[in-house]
Structures are given as C-alpha cells and as structure tokens.
Amino acid sequence: MSVKERKERERAERERLIVATARELAEDQGWDAVTTRRLAERIEYSQPVLYSHFRSKREIIGAVALDGATEMAVALRAATSSADDPRARVTALARGYLDFAERNRAVYDALFQLDGGLAYAREDTPKPLKDAFAALLECLGEVAGDGVDPGLFTELFWASLHGIATLTWAGRLPPEDTEQRVELLVDRLAVL
C-alpha cells in the first residue's frame, strides 16, 4: 500500500469516526449537544482536523443523513421482504418506517427535520436519498391506483407516516393509537 493510499484510508476512517461520534452524541443528548469542540474531545482530534473534513455542523448533519438514508432503505426493504401480498407489504412498510424513525431519532431528524445542506426531490439529490425514496416507491407504487402518479402517491403516504412519527413524539398524538393509525392509513389510502 502506498503512502497516498494509506493517508486516504486514514482520512476516510477519521471521517467515519466523526460521523459516528456525531450520531452517537445526537442520539444521547440531542443535536444541540453536537459541537465541534465536543466532537474533537470525544474523538481526540483537534478542531482543525474536524474542519478539514467538514466545514460546519450542517455538513456533519448531512453526512449523518446520508448514512441514515442508506440504513432506512435497507430497513424498509427488509421489513417488506417477507410479506406475501400488497396489503401485508404496505402494512409492513408503514410499521418498518415508524420503527426505524423511533429507533433512530437523531438520524431521522438529520434526514427530515434539520438542514444538512442536502437537495431533496431534485436532479442533484444524493443517491442514498433517492434510494430511500425508491424503497418506499417499490412497495407503494403497486397500490397507488389507476391514474394516480406512483411518485405522488408515495410522497403522500410518506408524509402521512412522517406526520404520525413526529406528532407522536411531540405528544400531539397518543402513542397507543399508532397501530390503529397505520391500519387506517393502509385501508383508506392504498388501493388493495
């Protein structure tokens, strides 16, 4: 291995460490606790080293969001993989989405609540974000109904799931009714 290759590998490892540490800190204490000073202390590198990888907290949030989008796509596909009919797949997708959001709140916030400097729903949208949406579309496109744009249907269904997740966390919706909300969403929105 050449010196250049070793340095590139070490740089990539430092970057992964920064992102993982930011995510861990955000999961434990919230995104307000993620500062370059705290990150530098936790990973035992100087702040200038952090800035050589990420110019701002915004870029760190974006990096966490991209990793999270990849994880979400995998989780959604896994949730729907064993379902044997469209209704079961859509129900599994909804449950898988809400479960992912609940288990990964800081990542979910990085993806959908905070400004990570990422482009959504555009040509220049990063591949992991497109793939996470594709994981939704793969399942929901088949139940959109005749004459309904599958992408628009997926956006509406996703927005509903997002609302359930965030309104439940905020105490605006009682958590004990989540399963009933999922059933209503599947029954009333999807053409099965």
Side-chain angles (χ1 to χ4, degrees):
M1 174 181 300
S2 72
V3 172
K4 181 181 177 186
E5 291 171 327
R6 181 181 53 78
K7 286 185 179 192
E8 287 173 2
R9 187 186 76 226
E10 289 171 354
R11 180 172 176 75
E13 287 172 6
R14 268 194 317 271
E15 194 166 296
R16 280 191 297 274
L17 178 61
I18 293 166
V19 172
T21 304
R23 179 178 177 169
E24 179 183 303
L25 189 56
E27 290 288 353
D28 290 344
Q29 299 175 32
W31 278 104
D32 287 342
V34 179
T35 64
T36 54
R37 193 182 99 251
R38 279 191 173 162
L39 285 173
E41 288 171 2
R42 284 216 176 177
I43 65 172
E44 298 178 347
Y45 283 105
S46 67
Q47 287 182 350
V49 170
L50 283 172
Y51 285 119
S52 74
H53 290 274
F54 299 99
R55 293 179 305 221
S56 65
K57 180 177 174 178
R58 180 181 186 217
E59 287 186 1
I60 294 169
I61 291 169
V64 170
L66 291 176
D67 284 353
T70 299
E71 292 172 24
M72 176 180 267
V74 168
L76 295 178
R77 288 183 176 113
T80 60
S81 66
S82 62
D84 54 3
D85 64 70
R87 186 182 200 298
R89 273 190 294 283
V90 174
T91 301
L93 176 81
R95 288 178 181 145
Y97 181 95
L98 293 171
D99 183 56
F100 179 87
E102 179 64 31
R103 285 184 295 107
N104 301 282
R105 285 194 185 187
V107 169
Y108 192 86
D109 283 345
L111 273 164
F112 304 122
Q113 303 284 96
L114 302 173
D115 179 8
L118 303 173
Y120 286 78
R122 297 189 340 212
E123 284 298 316
D124 60 339
T125 297
K127 185 180 179 328
L129 298 177
K130 287 181 179 180
D131 191 45
F133 186 78
L136 292 165
L137 182 62
E138 290 161 10
C139 178
L140 295 169
E142 69 179 318
V143 298
D146 291 337
V148 176
D149 179 282
L152 289 176
F153 178 79
T154 300
E155 290 171 354
L156 178 62
F157 201 94
W158 166 42
S160 299
L161 292 173
H162 176 73
I164 291 170
T166 57
L167 290 170
T168 301
W169 296 341
R172 305 299 196 271
L173 296 175
E176 62 272 11
D177 295 333
T178 298
E179 186 59 31
Q180 186 176 359
R181 284 185 199 93
V182 167
E183 293 297 323
L184 280 169
L185 183 62
V186 171
D187 287 343
R188 305 292 182 187
L189 208 52
V191 176
L192 301 169

mmCIF file with all atom_site columns, all heavy atoms in Angstrom, residues 133-154:
data_model
loop_
_atom_site.group_PDB
_atom_site.id
_atom_site.type_symbol
_atom_site.label_atom_id
_atom_site.label_alt_id
_atom_site.label_comp_id
_atom_site.label_asym_id
_atom_site.label_entity_id
_atom_site.label_seq_id
_atom_site.pdbx_PDB_ins_code
_atom_site.Cartn_x
_atom_site.Cartn_y
_atom_site.Cartn_z
_atom_site.occupancy
_atom_site.B_iso_or_equiv
_atom_site.pdbx_formal_charge
_atom_site.auth_seq_id
_atom_site.auth_comp_id
_atom_site.auth_asym_id
_atom_site.auth_atom_id
_atom_site.pdbx_PDB_model_num
ATOM 1   N N   . PHE A 1 133 ? -36.113 6.842  -0.958  1.00 0.00 ? 133 PHE A N   1
ATOM 2   C CA  . PHE A 1 133 ? -37.423 7.086  -1.554  1.00 0.00 ? 133 PHE A CA  1
ATOM 3   C C   . PHE A 1 133 ? -37.824 5.920  -2.449  1.00 0.00 ? 133 PHE A C   1
ATOM 4   O O   . PHE A 1 133 ? -38.984 5.491  -2.455  1.00 0.00 ? 133 PHE A O   1
ATOM 5   C CB  . PHE A 1 133 ? -37.431 8.404  -2.340  1.00 0.00 ? 133 PHE A CB  1
ATOM 6   C CG  . PHE A 1 133 ? -38.796 8.770  -2.848  1.00 0.00 ? 133 PHE A CG  1
ATOM 7   C CD1 . PHE A 1 133 ? -39.741 9.316  -1.993  1.00 0.00 ? 133 PHE A CD1 1
ATOM 8   C CD2 . PHE A 1 133 ? -39.145 8.545  -4.171  1.00 0.00 ? 133 PHE A CD2 1
ATOM 9   C CE1 . PHE A 1 133 ? -41.014 9.640  -2.442  1.00 0.00 ? 133 PHE A CE1 1
ATOM 10  C CE2 . PHE A 1 133 ? -40.412 8.870  -4.637  1.00 0.00 ? 133 PHE A CE2 1
ATOM 11  C CZ  . PHE A 1 133 ? -41.352 9.419  -3.771  1.00 0.00 ? 133 PHE A CZ  1
ATOM 12  N N   . ALA A 1 134 ? -36.868 5.369  -3.175  1.00 0.00 ? 134 ALA A N   1
ATOM 13  C CA  . ALA A 1 134 ? -37.159 4.227  -4.043  1.00 0.00 ? 134 ALA A CA  1
ATOM 14  C C   . ALA A 1 134 ? -37.652 3.032  -3.232  1.00 0.00 ? 134 ALA A C   1
ATOM 15  O O   . ALA A 1 134 ? -38.523 2.285  -3.687  1.00 0.00 ? 134 ALA A O   1
ATOM 16  C CB  . ALA A 1 134 ? -35.920 3.848  -4.852  1.00 0.00 ? 134 ALA A CB  1
ATOM 17  N N   . ALA A 1 135 ? -37.108 2.856  -2.018  1.00 0.00 ? 135 ALA A N   1
ATOM 18  C CA  . ALA A 1 135 ? -37.561 1.755  -1.165  1.00 0.00 ? 135 ALA A CA  1
ATOM 19  C C   . ALA A 1 135 ? -39.036 1.921  -0.805  1.00 0.00 ? 135 ALA A C   1
ATOM 20  O O   . ALA A 1 135 ? -39.772 0.937  -0.699  1.00 0.00 ? 135 ALA A O   1
ATOM 21  C CB  . ALA A 1 135 ? -36.704 1.669  0.095   1.00 0.00 ? 135 ALA A CB  1
ATOM 22  N N   . LEU A 1 136 ? -39.472 3.152  -0.637  1.00 0.00 ? 136 LEU A N   1
ATOM 23  C CA  . LEU A 1 136 ? -40.896 3.418  -0.410  1.00 0.00 ? 136 LEU A CA  1
ATOM 24  C C   . LEU A 1 136 ? -41.695 3.179  -1.693  1.00 0.00 ? 136 LEU A C   1
ATOM 25  O O   . LEU A 1 136 ? -42.730 2.502  -1.689  1.00 0.00 ? 136 LEU A O   1
ATOM 26  C CB  . LEU A 1 136 ? -41.101 4.864  0.058   1.00 0.00 ? 136 LEU A CB  1
ATOM 27  C CG  . LEU A 1 136 ? -40.582 5.248  1.432   1.00 0.00 ? 136 LEU A CG  1
ATOM 28  C CD1 . LEU A 1 136 ? -40.537 6.762  1.579   1.00 0.00 ? 136 LEU A CD1 1
ATOM 29  C CD2 . LEU A 1 136 ? -41.438 4.633  2.517   1.00 0.00 ? 136 LEU A CD2 1
ATOM 30  N N   . LEU A 1 137 ? -41.208 3.728  -2.778  1.00 0.00 ? 137 LEU A N   1
ATOM 31  C CA  . LEU A 1 137 ? -41.902 3.654  -4.063  1.00 0.00 ? 137 LEU A CA  1
ATOM 32  C C   . LEU A 1 137 ? -42.069 2.213  -4.554  1.00 0.00 ? 137 LEU A C   1
ATOM 33  O O   . LEU A 1 137 ? -43.108 1.855  -5.120  1.00 0.00 ? 137 LEU A O   1
ATOM 34  C CB  . LEU A 1 137 ? -41.153 4.489  -5.102  1.00 0.00 ? 137 LEU A CB  1
ATOM 35  C CG  . LEU A 1 137 ? -41.743 4.572  -6.499  1.00 0.00 ? 137 LEU A CG  1
ATOM 36  C CD1 . LEU A 1 137 ? -43.114 5.230  -6.470  1.00 0.00 ? 137 LEU A CD1 1
ATOM 37  C CD2 . LEU A 1 137 ? -40.802 5.363  -7.409  1.00 0.00 ? 137 LEU A CD2 1
ATOM 38  N N   . GLU A 1 138 ? -41.068 1.375  -4.334  1.00 0.00 ? 138 GLU A N   1
ATOM 39  C CA  . GLU A 1 138 ? -41.135 -0.024 -4.761  1.00 0.00 ? 138 GLU A CA  1
ATOM 40  C C   . GLU A 1 138 ? -42.364 -0.718 -4.201  1.00 0.00 ? 138 GLU A C   1
ATOM 41  O O   . GLU A 1 138 ? -42.997 -1.532 -4.874  1.00 0.00 ? 138 GLU A O   1
ATOM 42  C CB  . GLU A 1 138 ? -39.878 -0.783 -4.319  1.00 0.00 ? 138 GLU A CB  1
ATOM 43  C CG  . GLU A 1 138 ? -38.634 -0.388 -5.058  1.00 0.00 ? 138 GLU A CG  1
ATOM 44  C CD  . GLU A 1 138 ? -37.351 -0.777 -4.343  1.00 0.00 ? 138 GLU A CD  1
ATOM 45  O OE1 . GLU A 1 138 ? -37.402 -1.532 -3.332  1.00 0.00 ? 138 GLU A OE1 1
ATOM 46  O OE2 . GLU A 1 138 ? -36.277 -0.324 -4.786  1.00 0.00 ? 138 GLU A OE2 1
ATOM 47  N N   . CYS A 1 139 ? -42.691 -0.408 -2.986  1.00 0.00 ? 139 CYS A N   1
ATOM 48  C CA  . CYS A 1 139 ? -43.832 -1.028 -2.329  1.00 0.00 ? 139 CYS A CA  1
ATOM 49  C C   . CYS A 1 139 ? -45.126 -0.272 -2.616  1.00 0.00 ? 139 CYS A C   1
ATOM 50  O O   . CYS A 1 139 ? -46.158 -0.871 -2.907  1.00 0.00 ? 139 CYS A O   1
ATOM 51  C CB  . CYS A 1 139 ? -43.572 -1.066 -0.822  1.00 0.00 ? 139 CYS A CB  1
ATOM 52  S SG  . CYS A 1 139 ? -44.910 -1.761 0.142   1.00 0.00 ? 139 CYS A SG  1
ATOM 53  N N   . LEU A 1 140 ? -45.081 1.030  -2.561  1.00 0.00 ? 140 LEU A N   1
ATOM 54  C CA  . LEU A 1 140 ? -46.298 1.834  -2.667  1.00 0.00 ? 140 LEU A CA  1
ATOM 55  C C   . LEU A 1 140 ? -46.761 2.052  -4.094  1.00 0.00 ? 140 LEU A C   1
ATOM 56  O O   . LEU A 1 140 ? -47.948 2.268  -4.336  1.00 0.00 ? 140 LEU A O   1
ATOM 57  C CB  . LEU A 1 140 ? -46.095 3.177  -1.965  1.00 0.00 ? 140 LEU A CB  1
ATOM 58  C CG  . LEU A 1 140 ? -45.878 3.065  -0.461  1.00 0.00 ? 140 LEU A CG  1
ATOM 59  C CD1 . LEU A 1 140 ? -45.427 4.395  0.123   1.00 0.00 ? 140 LEU A CD1 1
ATOM 60  C CD2 . LEU A 1 140 ? -47.124 2.551  0.225   1.00 0.00 ? 140 LEU A CD2 1
ATOM 61  N N   . GLY A 1 141 ? -45.850 1.986  -5.041  1.00 0.00 ? 141 GLY A N   1
ATOM 62  C CA  . GLY A 1 141 ? -46.231 2.183  -6.434  1.00 0.00 ? 141 GLY A CA  1
ATOM 63  C C   . GLY A 1 141 ? -47.279 1.197  -6.908  1.00 0.00 ? 141 GLY A C   1
ATOM 64  O O   . GLY A 1 141 ? -48.150 1.533  -7.711  1.00 0.00 ? 141 GLY A O   1
ATOM 65  N N   . GLU A 1 142 ? -47.236 -0.014 -6.372  1.00 0.00 ? 142 GLU A N   1
ATOM 66  C CA  . GLU A 1 142 ? -48.180 -1.041 -6.802  1.00 0.00 ? 142 GLU A CA  1
ATOM 67  C C   . GLU A 1 142 ? -49.585 -0.861 -6.217  1.00 0.00 ? 142 GLU A C   1
ATOM 68  O O   . GLU A 1 142 ? -50.523 -1.521 -6.652  1.00 0.00 ? 142 GLU A O   1
ATOM 69  C CB  . GLU A 1 142 ? -47.650 -2.440 -6.472  1.00 0.00 ? 142 GLU A CB  1
ATOM 70  C CG  . GLU A 1 142 ? -47.595 -2.776 -4.998  1.00 0.00 ? 142 GLU A CG  1
ATOM 71  C CD  . GLU A 1 142 ? -47.082 -4.191 -4.723  1.00 0.00 ? 142 GLU A CD  1
ATOM 72  O OE1 . GLU A 1 142 ? -47.475 -5.135 -5.430  1.00 0.00 ? 142 GLU A OE1 1
ATOM 73  O OE2 . GLU A 1 142 ? -46.291 -4.322 -3.785  1.00 0.00 ? 142 GLU A OE2 1
ATOM 74  N N   . VAL A 1 143 ? -49.746 0.043  -5.248  1.00 0.00 ? 143 VAL A N   1
ATOM 75  C CA  . VAL A 1 143 ? -51.065 0.238  -4.627  1.00 0.00 ? 143 VAL A CA  1
ATOM 76  C C   . VAL A 1 143 ? -51.576 1.663  -4.793  1.00 0.00 ? 143 VAL A C   1
ATOM 77  O O   . VAL A 1 143 ? -52.532 2.065  -4.128  1.00 0.00 ? 143 VAL A O   1
ATOM 78  C CB  . VAL A 1 143 ? -51.049 -0.162 -3.129  1.00 0.00 ? 143 VAL A CB  1
ATOM 79  C CG1 . VAL A 1 143 ? -50.711 -1.638 -2.964  1.00 0.00 ? 143 VAL A CG1 1
ATOM 80  C CG2 . VAL A 1 143 ? -50.093 0.721  -2.338  1.00 0.00 ? 143 VAL A CG2 1
ATOM 81  N N   . ALA A 1 144 ? -50.960 2.414  -5.694  1.00 0.00 ? 144 ALA A N   1
ATOM 82  C CA  . ALA A 1 144 ? -51.353 3.812  -5.884  1.00 0.00 ? 144 ALA A CA  1
ATOM 83  C C   . ALA A 1 144 ? -52.739 3.934  -6.505  1.00 0.00 ? 144 ALA A C   1
ATOM 84  O O   . ALA A 1 144 ? -53.477 4.870  -6.208  1.00 0.00 ? 144 ALA A O   1
ATOM 85  C CB  . ALA A 1 144 ? -50.328 4.534  -6.751  1.00 0.00 ? 144 ALA A CB  1
ATOM 86  N N   . GLY A 1 145 ? -53.095 3.018  -7.355  1.00 0.00 ? 145 GLY A N   1
ATOM 87  C CA  . GLY A 1 145 ? -54.398 3.070  -8.017  1.00 0.00 ? 145 GLY A CA  1
ATOM 88  C C   . GLY A 1 145 ? -54.264 3.546  -9.449  1.00 0.00 ? 145 GLY A C   1
ATOM 89  O O   . GLY A 1 145 ? -53.295 4.215  -9.827  1.00 0.00 ? 145 GLY A O   1
ATOM 90  N N   . ASP A 1 146 ? -55.272 3.212  -10.242 1.00 0.00 ? 146 ASP A N   1
ATOM 91  C CA  . ASP A 1 146 ? -55.282 3.592  -11.657 1.00 0.00 ? 146 ASP A CA  1
ATOM 92  C C   . ASP A 1 146 ? -55.316 5.105  -11.809 1.00 0.00 ? 146 ASP A C   1
ATOM 93  O O   . ASP A 1 146 ? -56.090 5.789  -11.140 1.00 0.00 ? 146 ASP A O   1
ATOM 94  C CB  . ASP A 1 146 ? -56.496 2.981  -12.363 1.00 0.00 ? 146 ASP A CB  1
ATOM 95  C CG  . ASP A 1 146 ? -56.393 1.473  -12.476 1.00 0.00 ? 146 ASP A CG  1
ATOM 96  O OD1 . ASP A 1 146 ? -55.263 0.955  -12.419 1.00 0.00 ? 146 ASP A OD1 1
ATOM 97  O OD2 . ASP A 1 146 ? -57.449 0.817  -12.607 1.00 0.00 ? 146 ASP A OD2 1
ATOM 98  N N   . GLY A 1 147 ? -54.479 5.607  -12.690 1.00 0.00 ? 147 GLY A N   1
ATOM 99  C CA  . GLY A 1 147 ? -54.461 7.028  -12.985 1.00 0.00 ? 147 GLY A CA  1
ATOM 100 C C   . GLY A 1 147 ? -53.782 7.891  -11.935 1.00 0.00 ? 147 GLY A C   1
ATOM 101 O O   . GLY A 1 147 ? -53.762 9.108  -12.052 1.00 0.00 ? 147 GLY A O   1
ATOM 102 N N   . VAL A 1 148 ? -53.235 7.271  -10.905 1.00 0.00 ? 148 VAL A N   1
ATOM 103 C CA  . VAL A 1 148 ? -52.552 8.015  -9.842  1.00 0.00 ? 148 VAL A CA  1
ATOM 104 C C   . VAL A 1 148 ? -51.050 7.892  -10.050 1.00 0.00 ? 148 VAL A C   1
ATOM 105 O O   . VAL A 1 148 ? -50.533 6.776  -10.219 1.00 0.00 ? 148 VAL A O   1
ATOM 106 C CB  . VAL A 1 148 ? -52.935 7.484  -8.440  1.00 0.00 ? 148 VAL A CB  1
ATOM 107 C CG1 . VAL A 1 148 ? -52.158 8.194  -7.350  1.00 0.00 ? 148 VAL A CG1 1
ATOM 108 C CG2 . VAL A 1 148 ? -54.434 7.618  -8.209  1.00 0.00 ? 148 VAL A CG2 1
ATOM 109 N N   . ASP A 1 149 ? -50.364 9.011  -10.061 1.00 0.00 ? 149 ASP A N   1
ATOM 110 C CA  . ASP A 1 149 ? -48.912 9.003  -10.212 1.00 0.00 ? 149 ASP A CA  1
ATOM 111 C C   . ASP A 1 149 ? -48.293 8.291  -8.997  1.00 0.00 ? 149 ASP A C   1
ATOM 112 O O   . ASP A 1 149 ? -48.498 8.722  -7.855  1.00 0.00 ? 149 ASP A O   1
ATOM 113 C CB  . ASP A 1 149 ? -48.395 10.439 -10.305 1.00 0.00 ? 149 ASP A CB  1
ATOM 114 C CG  . ASP A 1 149 ? -46.894 10.488 -10.436 1.00 0.00 ? 149 ASP A CG  1
ATOM 115 O OD1 . ASP A 1 149 ? -46.199 10.309 -9.408  1.00 0.00 ? 149 ASP A OD1 1
ATOM 116 O OD2 . ASP A 1 149 ? -46.405 10.713 -11.550 1.00 0.00 ? 149 ASP A OD2 1
ATOM 117 N N   . PRO A 1 150 ? -47.555 7.199  -9.215  1.00 0.00 ? 150 PRO A N   1
ATOM 118 C CA  . PRO A 1 150 ? -46.973 6.452  -8.091  1.00 0.00 ? 150 PRO A CA  1
ATOM 119 C C   . PRO A 1 150 ? -46.043 7.300  -7.212  1.00 0.00 ? 150 PRO A C   1
ATOM 120 O O   . PRO A 1 150 ? -46.009 7.125  -5.992  1.00 0.00 ? 150 PRO A O   1
ATOM 121 C CB  . PRO A 1 150 ? -46.200 5.315  -8.760  1.00 0.00 ? 150 PRO A CB  1
ATOM 122 C CG  . PRO A 1 150 ? -46.790 5.190  -10.116 1.00 0.00 ? 150 PRO A CG  1
ATOM 123 C CD  . PRO A 1 150 ? -47.264 6.555  -10.497 1.00 0.00 ? 150 PRO A CD  1
ATOM 124 N N   . GLY A 1 151 ? -45.304 8.221  -7.831  1.00 0.00 ? 151 GLY A N   1
ATOM 125 C CA  . GLY A 1 151 ? -44.414 9.087  -7.051  1.00 0.00 ? 151 GLY A CA  1
ATOM 126 C C   . GLY A 1 151 ? -45.188 10.017 -6.132  1.00 0.00 ? 151 GLY A C   1
ATOM 127 O O   . GLY A 1 151 ? -44.833 10.190 -4.960  1.00 0.00 ? 151 GLY A O   1
ATOM 128 N N   . LEU A 1 152 ? -46.251 10.618 -6.658  1.00 0.00 ? 152 LEU A N   1
ATOM 129 C CA  . LEU A 1 152 ? -47.078 11.498 -5.822  1.00 0.00 ? 152 LEU A CA  1
ATOM 130 C C   . LEU A 1 152 ? -47.767 10.725 -4.713  1.00 0.00 ? 152 LEU A C   1
ATOM 131 O O   . LEU A 1 152 ? -47.869 11.199 -3.570  1.00 0.00 ? 152 LEU A O   1
ATOM 132 C CB  . LEU A 1 152 ? -48.113 12.232 -6.675  1.00 0.00 ? 152 LEU A CB  1
ATOM 133 C CG  . LEU A 1 152 ? -47.571 13.309 -7.604  1.00 0.00 ? 152 LEU A CG  1
ATOM 134 C CD1 . LEU A 1 152 ? -48.694 13.878 -8.463  1.00 0.00 ? 152 LEU A CD1 1
ATOM 135 C CD2 . LEU A 1 152 ? -46.886 14.409 -6.818  1.00 0.00 ? 152 LEU A CD2 1
ATOM 136 N N   . PHE A 1 153 ? -48.256 9.530  -5.033  1.00 0.00 ? 153 PHE A N   1
ATOM 137 C CA  . PHE A 1 153 ? -48.883 8.700  -4.013  1.00 0.00 ? 153 PHE A CA  1
ATOM 138 C C   . PHE A 1 153 ? -47.880 8.363  -2.915  1.00 0.00 ? 153 PHE A C   1
ATOM 139 O O   . PHE A 1 153 ? -48.190 8.435  -1.728  1.00 0.00 ? 153 PHE A O   1
ATOM 140 C CB  . PHE A 1 153 ? -49.450 7.413  -4.627  1.00 0.00 ? 153 PHE A CB  1
ATOM 141 C CG  . PHE A 1 153 ? -50.052 6.514  -3.605  1.00 0.00 ? 153 PHE A CG  1
ATOM 142 C CD1 . PHE A 1 153 ? -51.331 6.762  -3.111  1.00 0.00 ? 153 PHE A CD1 1
ATOM 143 C CD2 . PHE A 1 153 ? -49.356 5.425  -3.118  1.00 0.00 ? 153 PHE A CD2 1
ATOM 144 C CE1 . PHE A 1 153 ? -51.891 5.943  -2.146  1.00 0.00 ? 153 PHE A CE1 1
ATOM 145 C CE2 . PHE A 1 153 ? -49.913 4.599  -2.153  1.00 0.00 ? 153 PHE A CE2 1
ATOM 146 C CZ  . PHE A 1 153 ? -51.184 4.853  -1.667  1.00 0.00 ? 153 PHE A CZ  1
ATOM 147 N N   . THR A 1 154 ? -46.665 8.012  -3.316  1.00 0.00 ? 154 THR A N   1
ATOM 148 C CA  . THR A 1 154 ? -45.618 7.680  -2.346  1.00 0.00 ? 154 THR A CA  1
ATOM 149 C C   . THR A 1 154 ? -45.301 8.882  -1.465  1.00 0.00 ? 154 THR A C   1
ATOM 150 O O   . THR A 1 154 ? -45.137 8.745  -0.242  1.00 0.00 ? 154 THR A O   1
ATOM 151 C CB  . THR A 1 154 ? -44.365 7.161  -3.072  1.00 0.00 ? 154 THR A CB  1
ATOM 152 O OG1 . THR A 1 154 ? -44.721 5.984  -3.805  1.00 0.00 ? 154 THR A OG1 1
ATOM 153 C CG2 . THR A 1 154 ? -43.242 6.836  -2.106  1.00 0.00 ? 154 THR A CG2 1
#
